[in-house]
Amino acid sequence: MDKYYLTTAIAYTSGTPHIGNSYEIVMADAVARFKRQQGRAVFFQTGTDEHGQKIEEKAAAAGISPKEFVDGVAKTIQDICDSLNISYDKFIRTTDDYHEKQVQKIFKKLYEQGDIYKGAYEGMYCTPCESFWTESQLAEGKCPDCGREVQPAKEEAYFFKMNKYADRLIEHINTHPEFIQPVSRKNEMMNNFLLPGLQDLCVSRTSFKWGIPVDFDNNHVVYVWLDALTNYITGVGYDADGNSSEQYKKLWPADLHLIGKDIVRFHTIYWPIFLMALGEPLPKQVFGHPWLLQGGEKMSKSRGNVIYAEDLIGLFGVDAVRYFVLHEMPYDNDGTITWDLVIERFNSDLANILGNLVNRTISMSNKYFGGIVESTGVIEEVDADLKAVVTGARDKVAEKMEALKMADAVGEVLALFRRCNKYIDETEPWVLAKDEATLPRLKEVMYNLTESICIGANLLSSFMPETSEKILAQLNSEARAFESLAQFGLYENGTRVTEKPEILFARKDTAEIMEKVEAIQAAQRAEYERENGIVEAEEEAVVDIPVKPEISYEDFDKLQFRVGKIIKCEEVPKSKKLLCSQVKIGSEVRQIVSGIKQHYSAEEMVGKKVMVLTNLKPATLAGVLSEGMLLCAEDAEGNLALLTPEKEMPAGAEIC
RNA sequence: GGCGAGAUGGCUCAACUGGCUAGAGCGUCCGGUUCAUACCCGGGAGGUUGCGAGUUCAAGUCUCGCUCUCGCUACCA
């Protein structure tokens, strides 16, 4: 049997993922189920990424060991998977012992063959991002990725020779257009990283302990990405010593890595290069899916607008949630999720078109024929189109699935059900029921409907497995082989359908749902406030940042701050963030460049008296000389406010 | 600033290598129907496909310029 190995990214266990993260696993599950239905020997792996400094710190804050911490989160994540009815074959955790062992072996192997070498890393380190930055890369002395504080750090470290494999990778990408999907992502990788030339990647850390130790050099732990990415091979039995399992030999290379667009870089540059170094073939395809955004905004707990899978499932049920994320997600642009949209989709597609169709059909069978469904062969012209649509659906769905166009695929199934509703209108069963002479025709109509719904339910099984089963159960039928889904008339003659059809999707009242949503959001904000130690009485927000090491008075005394008056200010050309100010300090005028264009216009800067660090070493920014630094306060959102003296003070006054 | 993607009726999105009066769904309006979860079916209105040129027998689709949005990336004293 033709194998199909697909994976999702493994979830980082630093917190509970929201529905935006859950999209990926639902999509992967739909693909896995569909391939299985098509007869492929599917292996579907997902899991959790459990190492790193961030987790070490979160655990410390919670007063438990890192392992205890990740055990808890991994459990939550696995529960979410299960509640979404995810049919994974393997749930790997990077703290699993076989994984850790292999990562050590892989590291050693790469070191021994010279791809990894020992060097030293010096620079500023951002803990949450686990990234080193050079001074010049910093954003106002902060991490350019997340904007948080960085600490100076120097470590002995191991580096991977990326460039050694760059040409081969470029060649591979160029000759395999399907490798990176969608194409816009491929362009980004080529233009921003590969073509300008890769830098050697630091693949070890000494600044924290919660990682897989480098076994021949105990001060070091393996870089999280090298640790995480290799899950795709260790999970199926890869062995760096050449004793890989039969399963590995059968499954690798993976057919599809399904990941978020934010980590395309790791999967299409670092990962292939690691594999090349190991002498293993590259995965066939990496698909960087877009995000699901809450009404165009990012989800955040403080706004109380995070939508969790759990809440959605509670309100609408698993399959409705699955349907929604699959239906609403476009191919390469970000999708939108709002409560209104979910309710609308639920009512119109699931309750009205699908649920009601099943319900009315079964009701009629019971009403007219005591639930017995029978083909009488009294065919009419209108039947042909129904049958054509129904039997043609399978291949249409398959085609869309092949291209990973989830929304279109699920749309094809819905189109089948729409066609059934139309068929009822065309044949008017209630009219046929009035005349004894047309009863055979009525039987045929009911049979056609039942059979159509059966095929539709079969095609639905990848997307909405529970609903698919429920429908088939109500029709007293069973799942069919994929091959026969393009064939009409396999519903067994004389079958009795259920007497009392259960409502599949009860219509939701918008006001009622929104009331519950309000409650959920209020609870979320309350939880956020509790977690962040915000007292209810305190209206004002506060900002907490990592505390820097204590300094001596002498250290402080080295700095000189003075009041400066901005007498002229203009935008720095070719720059998004920079303003260039002429600042009067005493009788001197200095030129200072600041990254505050997004917060202050050049005009409003003029005339302000501001706090200036005057003895900072001059530097050139975007080609413009800057002799000092304007001091600003920054809130959690990154908004800046210049510091000005609280009473009128002359330009040049010392701040001490 | 560099690179890339996108801009289509009120909303969410389609339209393969340029080819018939630019399509769906939702919403809206009108009509039909009653088996069913106030549901279903049909029909109408609604788009100079961001703006301006050009190539072509033919352009949403190709070329150039402009505006705006987004992504990646650089700069961020």
Side-chain angles (χ1 to χ4, degrees), chain A residues 136 140 191 344 352 356 360 619 628-629:
Chain A
S136 65
E140 288 160 37
N191 295 330
E344 187 186 297
N352 294 350
N356 184 50
R360 69 197 294 210
M629 178 169 177

PDB file of all heavy atoms in Angstrom, chain A residues 136 140 191 344 352 356 360 619 628-629, chain B residues 2-3 26 35-37 39-40 76-77:
ATOM      1  N   SER A 136      24.457  45.769  16.895  1.00  0.00           N
ATOM      2  CA  SER A 136      23.869  46.537  15.801  1.00  0.00           C
ATOM      3  C   SER A 136      22.484  46.027  15.407  1.00  0.00           C
ATOM      4  O   SER A 136      21.719  46.713  14.753  1.00  0.00           O
ATOM      5  CB  SER A 136      24.795  46.505  14.584  1.00  0.00           C
ATOM      6  OG  SER A 136      24.879  45.182  14.096  1.00  0.00           O
ATOM      7  N   GLU A 140      16.705  49.718  19.772  1.00  0.00           N
ATOM      8  CA  GLU A 140      16.782  50.565  20.956  1.00  0.00           C
ATOM      9  C   GLU A 140      17.271  49.778  22.147  1.00  0.00           C
ATOM     10  O   GLU A 140      16.687  49.807  23.231  1.00  0.00           O
ATOM     11  CB  GLU A 140      15.418  51.164  21.274  1.00  0.00           C
ATOM     12  CG  GLU A 140      15.009  52.232  20.281  1.00  0.00           C
ATOM     13  CD  GLU A 140      13.504  52.445  20.309  1.00  0.00           C
ATOM     14  OE1 GLU A 140      12.936  52.374  21.405  1.00  0.00           O
ATOM     15  OE2 GLU A 140      12.926  52.657  19.242  1.00  0.00           O
ATOM     16  N   ASN A 191      14.895  34.971  -1.320  1.00  0.00           N
ATOM     17  CA  ASN A 191      15.407  36.334  -1.396  1.00  0.00           C
ATOM     18  C   ASN A 191      16.018  36.831  -0.097  1.00  0.00           C
ATOM     19  O   ASN A 191      16.986  37.580  -0.107  1.00  0.00           O
ATOM     20  CB  ASN A 191      14.284  37.289  -1.809  1.00  0.00           C
ATOM     21  CG  ASN A 191      13.802  36.993  -3.213  1.00  0.00           C
ATOM     22  OD1 ASN A 191      14.571  36.518  -4.045  1.00  0.00           O
ATOM     23  ND2 ASN A 191      12.542  37.245  -3.471  1.00  0.00           N
ATOM     24  N   GLU A 344     -23.191  32.310  11.867  1.00  0.00           N
ATOM     25  CA  GLU A 344     -23.790  32.344  10.538  1.00  0.00           C
ATOM     26  C   GLU A 344     -23.548  31.041   9.777  1.00  0.00           C
ATOM     27  O   GLU A 344     -24.450  30.456   9.205  1.00  0.00           O
ATOM     28  CB  GLU A 344     -23.206  33.519   9.763  1.00  0.00           C
ATOM     29  CG  GLU A 344     -23.876  33.761   8.437  1.00  0.00           C
ATOM     30  CD  GLU A 344     -23.155  34.847   7.654  1.00  0.00           C
ATOM     31  OE1 GLU A 344     -23.111  35.997   8.119  1.00  0.00           O
ATOM     32  OE2 GLU A 344     -22.620  34.512   6.580  1.00  0.00           O
ATOM     33  N   ASN A 352     -29.332  24.507   8.551  1.00  0.00           N
ATOM     34  CA  ASN A 352     -30.315  24.596   7.475  1.00  0.00           C
ATOM     35  C   ASN A 352     -30.096  23.603   6.344  1.00  0.00           C
ATOM     36  O   ASN A 352     -30.980  22.827   5.996  1.00  0.00           O
ATOM     37  CB  ASN A 352     -30.324  26.005   6.882  1.00  0.00           C
ATOM     38  CG  ASN A 352     -30.807  27.041   7.886  1.00  0.00           C
ATOM     39  OD1 ASN A 352     -31.302  26.682   8.954  1.00  0.00           O
ATOM     40  ND2 ASN A 352     -30.653  28.298   7.564  1.00  0.00           N
ATOM     41  N   ASN A 356     -31.054  19.912   8.303  1.00  0.00           N
ATOM     42  CA  ASN A 356     -32.465  19.915   7.931  1.00  0.00           C
ATOM     43  C   ASN A 356     -32.760  18.949   6.782  1.00  0.00           C
ATOM     44  O   ASN A 356     -33.806  18.322   6.737  1.00  0.00           O
ATOM     45  CB  ASN A 356     -32.883  21.340   7.567  1.00  0.00           C
ATOM     46  CG  ASN A 356     -34.361  21.452   7.265  1.00  0.00           C
ATOM     47  OD1 ASN A 356     -35.191  20.983   8.039  1.00  0.00           O
ATOM     48  ND2 ASN A 356     -34.686  22.047   6.135  1.00  0.00           N
ATOM     49  N   ARG A 360     -35.512  16.105   7.156  1.00  0.00           N
ATOM     50  CA  ARG A 360     -36.744  16.084   6.343  1.00  0.00           C
ATOM     51  C   ARG A 360     -36.818  14.810   5.520  1.00  0.00           C
ATOM     52  O   ARG A 360     -37.902  14.273   5.295  1.00  0.00           O
ATOM     53  CB  ARG A 360     -36.826  17.344   5.472  1.00  0.00           C
ATOM     54  CG  ARG A 360     -35.792  17.409   4.357  1.00  0.00           C
ATOM     55  CD  ARG A 360     -35.585  18.790   3.751  1.00  0.00           C
ATOM     56  NE  ARG A 360     -36.742  19.305   3.038  1.00  0.00           N
ATOM     57  CZ  ARG A 360     -36.663  20.138   1.994  1.00  0.00           C
ATOM     58  NH1 ARG A 360     -35.475  20.525   1.525  1.00  0.00           N
ATOM     59  NH2 ARG A 360     -37.741  20.573   1.407  1.00  0.00           N
ATOM     60  N   ALA A 619      27.140  57.088  16.775  1.00  0.00           N
ATOM     61  CA  ALA A 619      26.989  55.976  15.846  1.00  0.00           C
ATOM     62  C   ALA A 619      26.293  56.471  14.593  1.00  0.00           C
ATOM     63  O   ALA A 619      25.706  57.552  14.577  1.00  0.00           O
ATOM     64  CB  ALA A 619      26.165  54.868  16.487  1.00  0.00           C
ATOM     65  N   GLY A 628      24.166  60.786  20.579  1.00  0.00           N
ATOM     66  CA  GLY A 628      23.423  60.763  21.834  1.00  0.00           C
ATOM     67  C   GLY A 628      22.134  59.977  21.678  1.00  0.00           C
ATOM     68  O   GLY A 628      21.883  59.373  20.642  1.00  0.00           O
ATOM     69  N   MET A 629      21.355  60.003  22.731  1.00  0.00           N
ATOM     70  CA  MET A 629      20.128  59.211  22.697  1.00  0.00           C
ATOM     71  C   MET A 629      19.024  59.935  23.445  1.00  0.00           C
ATOM     72  O   MET A 629      19.215  60.427  24.556  1.00  0.00           O
ATOM     73  CB  MET A 629      20.422  57.870  23.390  1.00  0.00           C
ATOM     74  CG  MET A 629      19.235  56.949  23.472  1.00  0.00           C
ATOM     75  SD  MET A 629      19.850  55.328  24.001  1.00  0.00           S
ATOM     76  CE  MET A 629      18.336  54.425  24.111  1.00  0.00           C
TER      77      MET A 629
ATOM     78  P     G B   2      13.448  50.157  -2.394  1.00  0.00           P
ATOM     79  OP1   G B   2      13.794  50.446  -3.784  1.00  0.00           O
ATOM     80  OP2   G B   2      12.034  50.118  -1.966  1.00  0.00           O
ATOM     81  O5'   G B   2      14.126  48.785  -1.976  1.00  0.00           O
ATOM     82  C5'   G B   2      15.439  48.470  -2.408  1.00  0.00           C
ATOM     83  C4'   G B   2      15.752  47.038  -2.060  1.00  0.00           C
ATOM     84  O4'   G B   2      15.700  46.887  -0.605  1.00  0.00           O
ATOM     85  C3'   G B   2      14.727  46.026  -2.555  1.00  0.00           C
ATOM     86  O3'   G B   2      14.961  45.665  -3.900  1.00  0.00           O
ATOM     87  C2'   G B   2      14.936  44.864  -1.588  1.00  0.00           C
ATOM     88  O2'   G B   2      16.099  44.125  -1.894  1.00  0.00           O
ATOM     89  C1'   G B   2      15.152  45.620  -0.275  1.00  0.00           C
ATOM     90  N9    G B   2      13.885  45.859   0.430  1.00  0.00           N
ATOM     91  C8    G B   2      13.181  47.024   0.496  1.00  0.00           C
ATOM     92  N7    G B   2      12.086  46.925   1.214  1.00  0.00           N
ATOM     93  C5    G B   2      12.077  45.603   1.640  1.00  0.00           C
ATOM     94  C6    G B   2      11.145  44.907   2.452  1.00  0.00           C
ATOM     95  O6    G B   2      10.118  45.324   2.974  1.00  0.00           O
ATOM     96  N1    G B   2      11.527  43.569   2.631  1.00  0.00           N
ATOM     97  C2    G B   2      12.649  43.000   2.109  1.00  0.00           C
ATOM     98  N2    G B   2      12.834  41.713   2.391  1.00  0.00           N
ATOM     99  N3    G B   2      13.533  43.635   1.355  1.00  0.00           N
ATOM    100  C4    G B   2      13.185  44.925   1.169  1.00  0.00           C
ATOM    101  P     C B   3      13.719  45.369  -4.839  1.00  0.00           P
ATOM    102  OP1   C B   3      14.270  45.169  -6.197  1.00  0.00           O
ATOM    103  OP2   C B   3      12.667  46.366  -4.595  1.00  0.00           O
ATOM    104  O5'   C B   3      13.195  43.965  -4.299  1.00  0.00           O
ATOM    105  C5'   C B   3      14.021  42.818  -4.385  1.00  0.00           C
ATOM    106  C4'   C B   3      13.368  41.670  -3.675  1.00  0.00           C
ATOM    107  O4'   C B   3      13.286  41.960  -2.252  1.00  0.00           O
ATOM    108  C3'   C B   3      11.914  41.402  -4.045  1.00  0.00           C
ATOM    109  O3'   C B   3      11.763  40.733  -5.277  1.00  0.00           O
ATOM    110  C2'   C B   3      11.472  40.565  -2.866  1.00  0.00           C
ATOM    111  O2'   C B   3      11.998  39.264  -2.921  1.00  0.00           O
ATOM    112  C1'   C B   3      12.135  41.331  -1.715  1.00  0.00           C
ATOM    113  N1    C B   3      11.217  42.352  -1.187  1.00  0.00           N
ATOM    114  C2    C B   3      10.241  41.946  -0.265  1.00  0.00           C
ATOM    115  O2    C B   3      10.198  40.752   0.070  1.00  0.00           O
ATOM    116  N3    C B   3       9.363  42.854   0.228  1.00  0.00           N
ATOM    117  C4    C B   3       9.438  44.124  -0.171  1.00  0.00           C
ATOM    118  N4    C B   3       8.557  44.982   0.338  1.00  0.00           N
ATOM    119  C5    C B   3      10.415  44.575  -1.109  1.00  0.00           C
ATOM    120  C6    C B   3      11.280  43.656  -1.589  1.00  0.00           C
ATOM    121  P     C B  26     -26.613  30.954   0.769  1.00  0.00           P
ATOM    122  OP1   C B  26     -27.526  30.019   1.450  1.00  0.00           O
ATOM    123  OP2   C B  26     -27.036  31.658  -0.462  1.00  0.00           O
ATOM    124  O5'   C B  26     -26.126  32.054   1.820  1.00  0.00           O
ATOM    125  C5'   C B  26     -25.631  31.668   3.097  1.00  0.00           C
ATOM    126  C4'   C B  26     -25.126  32.868   3.829  1.00  0.00           C
ATOM    127  O4'   C B  26     -24.022  33.448   3.080  1.00  0.00           O
ATOM    128  C3'   C B  26     -26.106  34.026   3.954  1.00  0.00           C
ATOM    129  O3'   C B  26     -27.024  33.837   5.014  1.00  0.00           O
ATOM    130  C2'   C B  26     -25.158  35.189   4.220  1.00  0.00           C
ATOM    131  O2'   C B  26     -24.693  35.195   5.539  1.00  0.00           O
ATOM    132  C1'   C B  26     -24.010  34.857   3.267  1.00  0.00           C
ATOM    133  N1    C B  26     -24.187  35.523   1.963  1.00  0.00           N
ATOM    134  C2    C B  26     -23.882  36.889   1.875  1.00  0.00           C
ATOM    135  O2    C B  26     -23.457  37.469   2.888  1.00  0.00           O
ATOM    136  N3    C B  26     -24.057  37.536   0.701  1.00  0.00           N
ATOM    137  C4    C B  26     -24.517  36.874  -0.358  1.00  0.00           C
ATOM    138  N4    C B  26     -24.674  37.556  -1.485  1.00  0.00           N
ATOM    139  C5    C B  26     -24.826  35.481  -0.298  1.00  0.00           C
ATOM    140  C6    C B  26     -24.654  34.847   0.873  1.00  0.00           C
ATOM    141  P     C B  35     -46.856  18.808   4.126  1.00  0.00           P
ATOM    142  OP1   C B  35     -47.726  17.782   3.553  1.00  0.00           O
ATOM    143  OP2   C B  35     -47.353  19.675   5.212  1.00  0.00           O
ATOM    144  O5'   C B  35     -45.483  18.176   4.615  1.00  0.00           O
ATOM    145  C5'   C B  35     -45.401  16.792   4.860  1.00  0.00           C
ATOM    146  C4'   C B  35     -43.947  16.416   4.945  1.00  0.00           C
ATOM    147  O4'   C B  35     -43.302  16.638   3.668  1.00  0.00           O
ATOM    148  C3'   C B  35     -43.144  17.269   5.895  1.00  0.00           C
ATOM    149  O3'   C B  35     -43.300  16.776   7.206  1.00  0.00           O
ATOM    150  C2'   C B  35     -41.733  17.037   5.396  1.00  0.00           C
ATOM    151  O2'   C B  35     -41.217  15.807   5.851  1.00  0.00           O
ATOM    152  C1'   C B  35     -41.940  16.952   3.884  1.00  0.00           C
ATOM    153  N1    C B  35     -41.610  18.185   3.166  1.00  0.00           N
ATOM    154  C2    C B  35     -40.270  18.424   2.848  1.00  0.00           C
ATOM    155  O2    C B  35     -39.417  17.610   3.199  1.00  0.00           O
ATOM    156  N3    C B  35     -39.935  19.534   2.161  1.00  0.00           N
ATOM    157  C4    C B  35     -40.883  20.389   1.791  1.00  0.00           C
ATOM    158  N4    C B  35     -40.518  21.467   1.105  1.00  0.00           N
ATOM    159  C5    C B  35     -42.256  20.172   2.102  1.00  0.00           C
ATOM    160  C6    C B  35     -42.576  19.066   2.785  1.00  0.00           C
ATOM    161  P     A B  36     -43.312  17.735   8.434  1.00  0.00           P
ATOM    162  OP1   A B  36     -43.669  16.954   9.629  1.00  0.00           O
ATOM    163  OP2   A B  36     -44.099  18.942   8.089  1.00  0.00           O
ATOM    164  O5'   A B  36     -41.782  18.151   8.534  1.00  0.00           O
ATOM    165  C5'   A B  36     -40.803  17.182   8.933  1.00  0.00           C
ATOM    166  C4'   A B  36     -39.445  17.827   8.840  1.00  0.00           C
ATOM    167  O4'   A B  36     -39.226  18.227   7.473  1.00  0.00           O
ATOM    168  C3'   A B  36     -39.331  19.122   9.657  1.00  0.00           C
ATOM    169  O3'   A B  36     -38.822  18.795  10.933  1.00  0.00           O
ATOM    170  C2'   A B  36     -38.319  19.941   8.865  1.00  0.00           C
ATOM    171  O2'   A B  36     -36.988  19.619   9.203  1.00  0.00           O
ATOM    172  C1'   A B  36     -38.564  19.466   7.430  1.00  0.00           C
ATOM    173  N9    A B  36     -39.395  20.390   6.645  1.00  0.00           N
ATOM    174  C8    A B  36     -40.742  20.632   6.759  1.00  0.00           C
ATOM    175  N7    A B  36     -41.204  21.495   5.879  1.00  0.00           N
ATOM    176  C5    A B  36     -40.077  21.843   5.146  1.00  0.00           C
ATOM    177  C6    A B  36     -39.888  22.723   4.060  1.00  0.00           C
ATOM    178  N6    A B  36     -40.882  23.429   3.507  1.00  0.00           N
ATOM    179  N1    A B  36     -38.648  22.842   3.574  1.00  0.00           N
ATOM    180  C2    A B  36     -37.666  22.117   4.129  1.00  0.00           C
ATOM    181  N3    A B  36     -37.711  21.257   5.147  1.00  0.00           N
ATOM    182  C4    A B  36     -38.953  21.169   5.607  1.00  0.00           C
ATOM    183  P     U B  37     -39.269  19.580  12.263  1.00  0.00           P
ATOM    184  OP1   U B  37     -39.234  18.608  13.349  1.00  0.00           O
ATOM    185  OP2   U B  37     -40.492  20.364  12.011  1.00  0.00           O
ATOM    186  O5'   U B  37     -38.056  20.583  12.409  1.00  0.00           O
ATOM    187  C5'   U B  37     -38.118  21.593  13.419  1.00  0.00           C
ATOM    188  C4'   U B  37     -36.982  22.565  13.143  1.00  0.00           C
ATOM    189  O4'   U B  37     -35.739  21.843  13.231  1.00  0.00           O
ATOM    190  C3'   U B  37     -37.015  23.144  11.731  1.00  0.00           C
ATOM    191  O3'   U B  37     -37.563  24.474  11.746  1.00  0.00           O
ATOM    192  C2'   U B  37     -35.530  23.191  11.304  1.00  0.00           C
ATOM    193  O2'   U B  37     -35.036  24.524  11.203  1.00  0.00           O
ATOM    194  C1'   U B  37     -34.815  22.582  12.494  1.00  0.00           C
ATOM    195  N1    U B  37     -33.654  21.744  12.196  1.00  0.00           N
ATOM    196  C2    U B  37     -32.439  22.223  12.694  1.00  0.00           C
ATOM    197  O2    U B  37     -32.354  23.273  13.309  1.00  0.00           O
ATOM    198  N3    U B  37     -31.362  21.425  12.444  1.00  0.00           N
ATOM    199  C4    U B  37     -31.358  20.231  11.762  1.00  0.00           C
ATOM    200  O4    U B  37     -30.303  19.623  11.642  1.00  0.00           O
ATOM    201  C5    U B  37     -32.635  19.806  11.270  1.00  0.00           C
ATOM    202  C6    U B  37     -33.715  20.567  11.499  1.00  0.00           C
ATOM    203  P     C B  39     -35.105  29.620   9.232  1.00  0.00           P
ATOM    204  OP1   C B  39     -34.611  29.145  10.524  1.00  0.00           O
ATOM    205  OP2   C B  39     -34.529  30.837   8.631  1.00  0.00           O
ATOM    206  O5'   C B  39     -35.026  28.489   8.097  1.00  0.00           O
ATOM    207  C5'   C B  39     -34.178  27.411   8.332  1.00  0.00           C
ATOM    208  C4'   C B  39     -34.713  26.184   7.658  1.00  0.00           C
ATOM    209  O4'   C B  39     -36.121  26.025   7.896  1.00  0.00           O
ATOM    210  C3'   C B  39     -34.619  26.160   6.139  1.00  0.00           C
ATOM    211  O3'   C B  39     -33.287  25.875   5.725  1.00  0.00           O
ATOM    212  C2'   C B  39     -35.571  25.024   5.824  1.00  0.00           C
ATOM    213  O2'   C B  39     -34.993  23.773   6.133  1.00  0.00           O
ATOM    214  C1'   C B  39     -36.709  25.306   6.799  1.00  0.00           C
ATOM    215  N1    C B  39     -37.751  26.130   6.176  1.00  0.00           N
ATOM    216  C2    C B  39     -38.835  25.505   5.549  1.00  0.00           C
ATOM    217  O2    C B  39     -38.894  24.271   5.561  1.00  0.00           O
ATOM    218  N3    C B  39     -39.767  26.250   4.958  1.00  0.00           N
ATOM    219  C4    C B  39     -39.666  27.591   4.956  1.00  0.00           C
ATOM    220  N4    C B  39     -40.617  28.304   4.364  1.00  0.00           N
ATOM    221  C5    C B  39     -38.579  28.251   5.586  1.00  0.00           C
ATOM    222  C6    C B  39     -37.649  27.494   6.175  1.00  0.00           C
ATOM    223  P     C B  40     -32.635  26.631   4.548  1.00  0.00           P
ATOM    224  OP1   C B  40     -31.203  26.347   4.603  1.00  0.00           O
ATOM    225  OP2   C B  40     -33.102  28.031   4.533  1.00  0.00           O
ATOM    226  O5'   C B  40     -33.259  25.908   3.283  1.00  0.00           O
ATOM    227  C5'   C B  40     -33.042  24.520   3.089  1.00  0.00           C
ATOM    228  C4'   C B  40     -33.976  24.016   2.021  1.00  0.00           C
ATOM    229  O4'   C B  40     -35.353  24.202   2.454  1.00  0.00           O
ATOM    230  C3'   C B  40     -33.914  24.781   0.706  1.00  0.00           C
ATOM    231  O3'   C B  40     -32.847  24.322  -0.100  1.00  0.00           O
ATOM    232  C2'   C B  40     -35.269  24.449   0.107  1.00  0.00           C
ATOM    233  O2'   C B  40     -35.300  23.135  -0.406  1.00  0.00           O
ATOM    234  C1'   C B  40     -36.168  24.531   1.341  1.00  0.00           C
ATOM    235  N1    C B  40     -36.704  25.895   1.546  1.00  0.00           N
ATOM    236  C2    C B  40     -37.851  26.270   0.837  1.00  0.00           C
ATOM    237  O2    C B  40     -38.381  25.458   0.071  1.00  0.00           O
ATOM    238  N3    C B  40     -38.351  27.526   1.003  1.00  0.00           N
ATOM    239  C4    C B  40     -37.757  28.376   1.839  1.00  0.00           C
ATOM    240  N4    C B  40     -38.283  29.595   1.968  1.00  0.00           N
ATOM    241  C5    C B  40     -36.576  28.025   2.566  1.00  0.00           C
ATOM    242  C6    C B  40     -36.091  26.782   2.391  1.00  0.00           C
ATOM    243  P     C B  76      20.708  50.014  13.752  1.00  0.00           P
ATOM    244  OP1   C B  76      21.891  50.738  14.174  1.00  0.00           O
ATOM    245  OP2   C B  76      20.589  48.558  13.999  1.00  0.00           O
ATOM    246  O5'   C B  76      19.397  50.708  14.307  1.00  0.00           O
ATOM    247  C5'   C B  76      19.250  52.134  14.309  1.00  0.00           C
ATOM    248  C4'   C B  76      17.917  52.400  14.948  1.00  0.00           C
ATOM    249  O4'   C B  76      16.918  51.653  14.277  1.00  0.00           O
ATOM    250  C3'   C B  76      17.916  51.984  16.418  1.00  0.00           C
ATOM    251  O3'   C B  76      17.832  53.096  17.231  1.00  0.00           O
ATOM    252  C2'   C B  76      16.769  50.989  16.573  1.00  0.00           C
ATOM    253  O2'   C B  76      15.897  51.277  17.527  1.00  0.00           O
ATOM    254  C1'   C B  76      16.065  51.057  15.214  1.00  0.00           C
ATOM    255  N1    C B  76      15.771  49.698  14.842  1.00  0.00           N
ATOM    256  C2    C B  76      14.438  49.315  14.909  1.00  0.00           C
ATOM    257  O2    C B  76      13.600  50.150  15.237  1.00  0.00           O
ATOM    258  N3    C B  76      14.130  48.048  14.610  1.00  0.00           N
ATOM    259  C4    C B  76      15.073  47.196  14.267  1.00  0.00           C
ATOM    260  N4    C B  76      14.720  45.971  13.994  1.00  0.00           N
ATOM    261  C5    C B  76      16.437  47.578  14.194  1.00  0.00           C
ATOM    262  C6    C B  76      16.746  48.835  14.488  1.00  0.00           C
ATOM    263  P     A B  77      17.288  53.983  18.155  1.00  0.00           P
ATOM    264  OP1   A B  77      16.590  53.808  19.397  1.00  0.00           O
ATOM    265  OP2   A B  77      16.775  54.905  17.189  1.00  0.00           O
ATOM    266  O5'   A B  77      18.741  54.386  18.454  1.00  0.00           O
ATOM    267  C5'   A B  77      19.056  55.736  18.541  1.00  0.00           C
ATOM    268  C4'   A B  77      19.918  55.842  19.723  1.00  0.00           C
ATOM    269  O4'   A B  77      20.675  54.619  19.825  1.00  0.00           O
ATOM    270  C3'   A B  77      20.963  56.912  19.650  1.00  0.00           C
ATOM    271  O3'   A B  77      20.357  58.134  20.017  1.00  0.00           O
ATOM    272  C2'   A B  77      22.004  56.413  20.613  1.00  0.00           C
ATOM    273  O2'   A B  77      21.616  56.736  21.902  1.00  0.00           O
ATOM    274  C1'   A B  77      21.919  54.908  20.428  1.00  0.00           C
ATOM    275  N9    A B  77      23.003  54.409  19.585  1.00  0.00           N
ATOM    276  C8    A B  77      23.886  55.117  18.840  1.00  0.00           C
ATOM    277  N7    A B  77      24.767  54.386  18.211  1.00  0.00           N
ATOM    278  C5    A B  77      24.444  53.105  18.586  1.00  0.00           C
ATOM    279  C6    A B  77      25.002  51.874  18.274  1.00  0.00           C
ATOM    280  N6    A B  77      26.048  51.728  17.472  1.00  0.00           N
ATOM    281  N1    A B  77      24.445  50.764  18.801  1.00  0.00           N
ATOM    282  C2    A B  77      23.392  50.919  19.603  1.00  0.00           C
ATOM    283  N3    A B  77      22.778  52.026  19.975  1.00  0.00           N
ATOM    284  C4    A B  77      23.362  53.103  19.431  1.00  0.00           C
TER     285        A B  77
END
